[in-house]
Amino acid sequence: MAQKYPKPMIFLHWLTLLLVLTAYFSGDYPPADGIVGEIHVASGICLVFLLLLRIGLRVYYREQLPKHLLTRWQHIVAHSVQMLLYLAMLLTPIIGYLTLTADVDDFRLFGITLPYFSLNLSLGKAHEIFANGFIALAGLHAVAALFHHLVLKDNVLKSMSPH
Ligand code: HEM
Ligand code: HEM
């Protein structure tokens, strides 16, 4: 049985964390934030592409994923949180994009005007709620990983560690 996630999955996992933190801490009001706003939008858009790559890798490596010795409930909770994280990685940027293009129709990202796509709905509040929910979920997931490592002293955190 595999003890660790395949290297490309580990790489994408930690790169995702970096992008989520970048998006979160650069989030305010991109059209008025200059380069910080561009970094916000770029990190959010990159996250969606990484997500697609990640889903592909998860399917490709489905027979090689580590299986931990968890109770039935631990397994259900961990899996549900992971699936919600996948959903948040998709919906937060999409709602962000809709918010942006409802507010402005010529946002330039590093010199290139983003394709305009708007439902003409003001979704700023929804985007903020999703972003906060996303960070709370990621925090819960990280605390659970640390609990496994420090208290239960099992292999869960090591299975995702780069070394
Ligand atoms: C997972 C990725 C993302 C996270 C975690 C995130 C997070 C945030 C946060 C925390 C705010 C500040 C909300 C507030 O306090 O008012 C914000 C605002 C905003 N973000 Fe994002 N964001 C992400 C992706 C995106 C993307 C991809 C876009 C656009 C293409 C975007 C566009 C916006 C806009 C337009 C606002 C201003 C909303 C308003 O106040 O009306 N975001 N974002
Ligand atoms: C300090 C922060 C984090 C720590 C310590 C951490 C730790 C871990 C560990 C130990 C695993 C393996 C768990 C298992 O096999 O059941 C894992 C898997 C996973 N983590 Fe995290 N994580 C962190 C942040 C994040 C963030 C920010 C996201 C999403 C944006 C995320 C999404 C996932 C997903 C979806 C999996 C399942 C494996 C996969 O499909 O790639 N993690 N994480």
Side-chain angles (χ1 to χ4, degrees), residues 20 23-24 27-31 40-41 44-45 47 92-93 96-97 99-100 103 124 127-128 131 134:
V20 174
Y24 191 74
D28 188 11
Y29 189 65
H40 180 74
V41 170
I45 292 176
L47 203 63
T92 313
Y97 200 97
T99 309
L100 184 72
D103 286 1
H127 180 59
E128 187 188 338
F134 189 174

Side-chain angles (χ1 to χ4, degrees), residues 98-128:
L98 292 174
T99 309
L100 184 72
T101 49
D103 286 1
V104 289
D105 53 11
D106 60 347
F107 188 84
R108 287 171 75 82
L109 186 59
F110 309 128
I112 300 163
T113 303
L114 286 183
Y116 178 78
F117 183 76
S118 171
L119 302 177
N120 278 324
L121 286 174
S122 184
L123 292 169
K125 195 72 202 162
H127 180 59
E128 187 188 338

